[in-house]
Structure formats: structure tokens, C-alpha cells
Amino acid sequence: MKKSSIVLIGILVLVVIIGFAGCGKYNSLQKLDENVNGAWGAVETQYQRRADLIDNLVATVKGAANFEKSTLTEVINARAKATAVTINNTGDLSQEKIDQFQAAQGELNGSLSRLLVSVERYPELKATAQFGELRAQIEGTENRIANARNDFNTTVRNFNSVIRTFPSNIVAGFSGLQQRGYFKSDAGANKAPKVEF
């Protein structure tokens, strides 16, 4: 064989090896991307569960005579805003979108907390089994939300670290994959609450 044929065969073998490696890297990035999308779906599921429970809670509280209507209206409006903020999980999980989603959910969380605190003034409402069950489910859902957010952040961290490293960053660039955003702690969460007796 001629020297030029050997060089050409060597180049073809090298191209085939690089091609297979690139395909393998592309496939692994797609799997990581799907993991992020699945983790986001779990987060949305828990937030939807909370929104559904809030409807039932509001309906239960409405039945109590003389309950503050402004508090109920605040919760209903916050729920509407929170469910209006949606994120398309196919690549739209930027930090800005996550922050918008988190802000809307935080507003709902705040109004829900105010509702539950104001219920303390209504012992007949607190005593109903339905209200107690709903309150327990909402508390459990808040724990599920925290776990889903933590799982999402872990999955995003894995995804982001892989697409930022060489040679994955090249394949990710060709594939259009970009870094995803994280859930952050709420403002003021780094300060311990002041307890006074």
C-alpha cells in the first residue's frame, strides 16, 4: 500500500472514532437533559398538589361564618398568579424563569401562611376534621416541595457541571443545550428568626 492510502485510512479511522465518541457524548447529554426535565416535572407536580389543596382549604374556610374575606381573596389571587407562571421544561429552565416561578410561589406561600395564622382565631374551624386533614396535607406537601426542589437542584448541578466541561461543552453547544437555573433560598432565609418570650 502506498503511504498516502495508509494516511487516508488512518484519518478515516480517526474520524469514525471521534464520530462514535461524539454520538456517545450526545446521547449521555440527552439523558441528563431528560433527568432535568423529569425533576422539573416532579417539582411542578408538588406545586400543583398544593394549589389543588388550597382550593379545598379555601372552600372549607369560606364555610366559617364571619371569616376575613380579604384574607381569602388574597390567597385566591396569589394562587391565580402562581399557577399563571408556567415554564416550558424543554430548555426554558433559565435562572430568570426559575426566579419568576419561585417569586410567584413565594407570594402564594406567604398568603397561605397568613390564612393559616388567621384561622387560629376561629376555634370552631380549627376543630373540624376536614380543616385539620387539609392543613396536615398542605404541611406534608410543603415537605414534598422542598424535597422535589432539592432533587431538582441536584439534577441541575449534575447537568450543568457536565455541559461546562470539555469536550461535553462542544457537543452541548452544537446541541443547543444551555445551563439550567437553580431554586434559591427565600430572601432572609439566612437569618434566624428572632424568638421572644
Side-chain angles (χ1 to χ4, degrees):
M1 284 188 139
K2 292 184 177 181
K3 193 174 190 179
S4 61
S5 297
I6 294 174
V7 170
L8 184 60
I9 291 172
I11 291 172
L12 286 174
V13 167
L14 185 61
V15 167
V16 168
I17 291 172
I18 291 173
F20 279 124
C23 289
K25 186 58 70 178
Y26 175 83
N27 289 339
S28 67
L29 289 176
Q30 294 305 310
K31 288 177 186 175
L32 289 173
D33 187 43
E34 280 304 309
N35 289 344
V36 170
N37 292 339
W40 178 252
V43 168
E44 285 185 315
T45 298
Q46 295 311 318
Y47 276 113
Q48 183 62 51
R49 175 182 165 80
R50 179 175 71 173
D52 294 343
L53 287 172
I54 288 171
D55 282 345
N56 293 333
L57 182 68
V58 168
T60 301
V61 171
K62 273 184 182 177
N66 301 323
F67 192 82
E68 294 101 356
K69 302 297 181 201
S70 62
T71 305
L72 288 174
T73 303
E74 188 180 311
V75 171
I76 292 167
N77 290 340
R79 183 196 179 281
K81 285 181 188 175
T83 55
V85 177
T86 57
I87 297 178
N88 178 359
N89 69 352
T90 55
D92 196 18
L93 294 170
S94 65
Q95 190 63 57
E96 180 184 344
K97 293 287 188 179
I98 296 289
D99 290 346
Q100 288 173 355
F101 183 85
Q102 188 173 353
Q105 294 297 333
E107 188 177 323
L108 175 59
N109 197 35
S111 63
L112 180 61
S113 295
R114 286 187 291 282
L115 171 70
L116 293 175
V117 165
S118 63
V119 163
E120 296 297 322
R121 293 183 288 241
Y122 296 88
E124 72 281 357
L125 181 59
K126 283 180 16 181
T128 65
Q130 185 180 12
F131 179 79
E133 176 66 25
L134 286 169
R135 187 174 189 163
Q137 285 187 28
I138 287 175
E139 289 169 357
T141 299
E142 292 300 327
N143 289 333
R144 290 178 182 188
I145 288 171
N147 289 334
R149 285 172 50 156
N150 186 43
D151 292 345
F152 175 79
N153 280 349
T154 300
T155 305
V156 167
R157 184 188 67 233
N158 293 339
F159 175 79
N160 286 349
S161 65
V162 169
I163 69 165
R164 291 180 61 203
T165 58
F166 182 81
S168 297
N169 60 344
I170 295 171
V171 177
F174 285 127
S175 304
L177 296 175
Q178 298 178 4
Q179 289 186 48
R180 303 297 179 83
Y182 293 97
F183 277 103
K184 299 175 184 172
S185 62
D186 295 329
N190 60 339
K191 297 177 185 166
K194 193 174 189 178
V195 178
E196 294 180 12
F197 294 101

